[in-house]
């Protein structure tokens, strides 16, 4: 189930409505690429994540990797929609790249995110929380939520890590060894549904 758009030429308006489609339907795919482009969120690795030339850490520092527990299925849809709306509203060039309003885009995104359903052992189920594994749009909103969480977490920390590099939900950090436990607690209280695990260097 996803979205269908209806253009009304006589009133120059556009309506987004719910429609039954397969998840790989042309309309769903087109909307995914549209929302991905408009939100300016890319999931390909860039040079900022490459660690070549990294100087050795100090004796009081430690290298740590953090990972989110089941990221996609733990993303609160209301939070994802709120962050997406903020991102679109803050884009001064949005009306130059699409005729759709922020309201239309968020409505379409909400329909997609709330339409996850699957069959298991002959029974049909509807996902009632989180984003669906395998939905292309899930990766977009999950990354948006992670960007928001990392910004809030790092900006509210008195002594942040010396190095923080993230790719979706995989994070590499160099920080003071004495602050490690406090930092993990801080991450896990930033957004209650998003919980981090960590692995320290050996």
């Amino acid at each position: 189930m996803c979205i269908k758009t209806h253009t009304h030429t006589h009133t120059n308006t556009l309506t987004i409505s719910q429609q039954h489609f397969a998840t790989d339907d042309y309309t769903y795919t087109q909307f995914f690429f549209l929302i991905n482009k408009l939100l300016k969120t890319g999931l390909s690795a860039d040079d900022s994540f490459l660690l070549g030339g990294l100087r050795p850490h100090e004796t009081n520092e430690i290298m740590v990797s953090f990972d989110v527990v089941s990221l996609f299925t733990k993303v609160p849809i209301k939070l994802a929609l709120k962050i997406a709306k903020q991102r679109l509203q803050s884009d001064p060039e949005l009306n130059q790249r699409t005729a759709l309003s922020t309201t239309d885009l968020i409505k379409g995104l909400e329909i997609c995110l709330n339409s996850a359903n699957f069959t298991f052992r002959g029974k049909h189920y509807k996902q009632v929380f989180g984003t669906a594994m395998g939905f292309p749009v899930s990766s977009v909103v999950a990354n948006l939520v992670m960007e928001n969480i990392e910004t809030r977490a790092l900006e509210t920390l008195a002594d942040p890590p010396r190095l923080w590099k993230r790719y979706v939900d995989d994070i590499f950090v160099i920080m003071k060894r004495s602050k490690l436990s406090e930092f993990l607690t801080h991450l896990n209280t930033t957004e209650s549904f998003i919980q981090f695990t960590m692995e320290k260097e050996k």
Side-chain angles (χ1 to χ4, degrees):
M1 184 183 292
C2 200
I3 61 166
K4 187 172 184 178
T5 59
H6 308 272
T7 304
H8 309 288
T9 55
H10 60 288
T11 59
N12 196 31
T13 60
L14 183 143
T15 302
I16 293 182
S17 63
Q18 203 162 348
Q19 184 83 7
H20 287 275
F21 286 112
T23 55
D24 60 349
D25 184 86
Y26 174 80
T27 305
Y28 180 91
T29 304
Q30 289 297 99
F31 184 78
F32 161 66
F33 283 116
L34 172 65
I35 200 72
N36 186 31
K37 180 179 179 181
L38 294 178
L39 290 172
K40 296 181 178 178
T41 301
L43 297 178
S44 11
D46 58 34
D47 292 340
S48 66
F49 194 79
L50 302 180
L51 301 176
L54 181 67
R55 71 178 176 86
H57 58 288
E58 306 296 336
T59 55
N60 67 334
E61 293 180 326
I62 186 171
M63 292 189 296
V64 188
S65 64
F66 293 94
D67 188 25
V68 176
V69 180
S70 305
L71 174 61
F72 283 14
T73 57
K74 295 297 179 66
V75 170
I77 290 178
K78 287 185 178 180
L79 176 64
L81 293 171
K82 177 183 177 181
I83 295 170
K85 184 177 181 179
Q86 291 172 344
R87 176 69 66 90
L88 293 171
Q89 289 177 331
S90 65
D91 184 355
E93 300 177 353
L94 182 65
N95 61 359
Q96 299 175 25
R97 296 185 288 126
T98 179
L100 293 173
S101 68
T102 297
T103 300
D104 288 330
L105 291 167
I106 294 302
K107 182 177 180 181
L109 181 59
E110 181 178 11
I111 292 172
C112 284
L113 293 177
N114 284 308
S115 299
N117 56 90
F118 58 93
T119 301
F120 179 70
R121 293 182 176 177
K123 293 185 178 181
H124 197 73
Y125 297 87
K126 174 177 170 58
Q127 185 166 332
V128 295
F129 187 87
T131 58
M133 296 292 292
F135 271 32
V137 76
S138 296
S139 59
V140 179
V141 296
N143 202 40
L144 273 178
V145 169
M146 284 300 298
E147 287 179 7
N148 178 270
I149 290 173
E150 76 175 353
T151 299
R152 284 189 282 148
L154 296 176
E155 288 182 351
T156 55
L157 201 64
D159 190 9
R162 174 166 67 83
L163 180 71
W164 169 285
K165 294 291 185 180
R166 179 181 65 85
Y167 181 75
V168 192
D169 64 340
D170 295 314
I171 305 162
F172 175 78
V173 170
I174 296 180
M175 63 178 301
K176 292 179 180 177
R177 192 182 301 269
S178 61
K179 297 289 185 179
L180 186 56
S181 178
E182 176 187 340
F183 183 60
L184 178 61
T185 300
H186 181 70
L187 285 177
N188 284 333
T189 55
T190 301
E191 185 62 48
S192 60
F193 289 106
I194 305 298
Q195 295 295 294
F196 293 79
T197 60
M198 73 174 179
E199 185 175 348
K200 298 181 287 186
E201 65 172 300
K202 297 180 180 179

